[in-house]
Amino acid sequence: MSEIEPFRAITISRLAHELKAQGRSVIHMEFGQPSTGAPPAAIAEAHRVLDADSMGYWESAPLKARIARLYQDRYGVTISPDQLLLTNGASPALVLALSSRFEPGDRIAMARPGYVAYRNTVKALKMVPVEIGCGPEEHYQLTAAALEALEPPPSGVIIASPANPTGSIIPPEELAAIVAVCVTRGIVIVSDEIYHGLSYSGRTPSVLEFAPEAFVINSFSKYWSMAGWRLGWLLVPPDHIERARAFIGNLFLTPPSLSQHAGLVAMDQTDVLEGHIQTYARNRDRMLAALPELGLKSIAPPDGAFYIWADIGHLTDDSVAFCEQLLRDTGVATAPGVDFDPVDGHRFMRFSFAVSTPEIEEALRRITPWFAARSA
């Protein structure tokens, strides 16, 4: 367990809250969480339920049916509501997928850079992360060729499209090629689709369009703007439902009943949710225009999600100290790259643009002279 590294963005966030408590103005761009909050109709439903339902351990059949319809509407994929296990967000869904499908010692491939919890959750479950370096040449994403070259083949692979921290999306033809390699080599796919719905370059395909036997993770935290409600799901292949149910019953029980009631309503608040995406798109465009003027010219393509992954190697070889000093000097909190890439992340940082557009403008106003002083 000593190999589990800390999530350093949490350390940055803790410092940000300390500064805020001291009266400092802080702009939070360190976490991937929308600043908008749940749709108003979902909040209203939560108020209604609080007065009308004593609640308890519960798995909402209407919510599962609505999620199943989402797969039909969004991807043209038919699934059974029985394949859906409701979880306390995406993190337990990841633990559930890994623990119920793999064994200690199994090798699990993943992209580097990638979400910090992939590597550390695999380690915590006594499995072996196999990180594959993915740079600009690979669009910061896993490729079929990279998986084909792994010897011996891993037991599983975690794919994420759109990805954290880069926002890059795997093109449909490459995703189909990845699936083909996995089928041939017996590699189990775990697909994290938590950022689906947040795309700036067209539709993002689900792995289920190519691999109906994949495990799929999703959550209400991003597109539905309900991070604090702790509600997500794991879609399980039919042959593995009973084993996964046994695990979830012992490890996690059920997500909050209140969140399930609110989540069901949130799923139909399309106008509100698409309005959020318009805000993210404006923020993305503003950041992409401004950051090169600060000397940050090597940026991953943010096809989706709400992140900018920027190379700061010309300014520092210690992204943790860099982000901490930026926060102390300007009140703008960001995430150090070493969370997402333990090899090269010391020279990268991640901005989240899931805040309001005025906050983006204020953040740029604050950090522009700060970067200019270091580039001189």
Side-chain angles (χ1 to χ4, degrees):
M1 298 297 284
S2 62
E3 296 180 0
I4 306 301
E5 299 105 348
F7 195 170
R8 295 170 183 86
I10 294 178
T11 303
I12 294 290
S13 187
R14 187 178 300 117
L15 173 60
H17 285 284
E18 290 174 0
L19 294 175
K20 189 174 182 179
Q22 295 168 14
R24 292 281 304 277
S25 169
V26 173
I27 300 174
H28 290 280
M29 302 176 72
E30 75 274 31
F31 284 152
Q33 60 180 18
S35 62
T36 47
I43 295 174
E45 175 66 3
H47 282 290
R48 186 194 68 78
V49 169
L50 280 171
D51 292 330
D53 189 338
S54 61
M55 294 180 282
Y57 301 128
W58 179 58
E59 190 178 43
S60 171
L63 178 58
K64 291 169 64 175
R66 181 63 184 85
I67 294 171
R69 180 156 63 87
L70 173 76
Y71 282 93
Q72 183 65 57
D73 294 345
R74 185 182 278 179
Y75 311 110
V77 172
T78 300
I79 65 164
S80 167
D82 289 339
Q83 292 179 249
L84 294 163
L85 301 181
L86 301 177
T87 62
N88 291 70
S91 296
L94 176 64
V95 172
L96 180 61
L98 292 171
S99 61
S100 67
R101 185 60 182 86
F102 303 102
E103 301 292 339
D106 281 350
R107 298 165 66 249
I108 311 296
M110 62 196 70
R112 177 178 57 79
Y115 180 45
V116 57
Y118 298 153
R119 176 176 71 252
N120 285 323
T121 302
V122 166
K123 287 181 179 179
L125 294 172
K126 304 302 182 182
M127 300 166 194
V128 181
V130 180
E131 295 188 286
I132 301 172
C134 302
E137 299 80 9
E138 297 84 20
H139 202 66
Y140 291 92
Q141 277 285 4
L142 286 176
T143 64
L147 285 174
E148 183 71 55
L150 283 181
E151 291 294 346
S155 299
V157 61
I158 299 173
I159 60 176
S161 174
N164 179 6
T166 62
S168 60
I169 291 175
I170 303 174
E173 61 275 11
E174 185 63 35
L175 186 57
I178 288 171
V179 169
V181 169
C182 290
V183 170
T184 300
R185 308 195 79 196
I187 302 171
V188 176
I189 299 173
V190 178
S191 181
D192 184 353
E193 300 184 356
I194 191 173
Y195 295 102
H196 275 223
L198 303 175
S199 173
Y200 314 104
S201 57
R203 193 182 75 89
T204 303
S206 171
V207 72
L208 293 174
E209 297 174 45
F210 309 98
E213 293 301 308
F215 288 74
V216 178
I217 295 166
N218 209 325
S219 167
F220 282 78
S221 294
K222 312 301 181 180
Y223 176 75
W224 288 279
S225 195
M226 295 177 66
W229 296 75
R230 309 315 303 136
L231 180 63
W233 70 85
L234 176 67
L235 195 154
V236 182
D239 291 347
H240 298 279
I241 292 173
E242 290 308 313
R243 179 173 171 83
R245 282 195 177 282
F247 273 71
I248 195 173
N250 284 282
L251 294 176
F252 304 116
L253 291 176
T254 64
S257 296
L258 187 66
S259 299
Q260 295 181 62
H261 285 290
L264 177 59
V265 172
M267 293 196 74
D268 291 316
Q269 305 306 304
T270 304
D271 290 346
V272 173
L273 300 170
E274 292 300 313
H276 295 171
I277 296 174
Q278 292 173 17
T279 298
Y280 303 150
R282 287 194 299 270
N283 294 350
R284 170 184 179 270
D285 291 346
R286 184 69 182 93
M287 294 284 289
L288 289 177
L291 292 184
E293 298 177 4
L294 307 186
L296 306 184
K297 299 180 180 180
S298 181
I299 293 173
D303 306 320
F306 30 57
Y307 303 118
I308 300 285
W309 178 248
D311 190 336
I312 52 174
H314 60 295
L315 299 174
T316 186
D317 61 358
D318 185 347
S319 59
V320 175
F322 187 88
C323 290
E324 180 177 332
Q325 195 62 50
L326 175 65
L327 171 59
R328 291 185 182 278
D329 292 347
T330 70
V332 177
T334 57
V338 288
D339 272 340
F340 312 97
D341 185 343
V343 177
D344 298 316
H346 58 280
R347 61 182 184 87
F348 284 85
M349 66 185 301
R350 190 197 72 179
F351 298 88
S352 169
F353 52 84
V355 295
S356 69
T357 301
E359 285 177 304
I360 291 289
E361 295 294 347
E362 175 62 15
L364 290 172
R365 187 193 66 78
R366 295 183 189 184
I367 69 176
T368 294
W370 193 89
F371 274 90
R374 279 150 184 78
S375 300

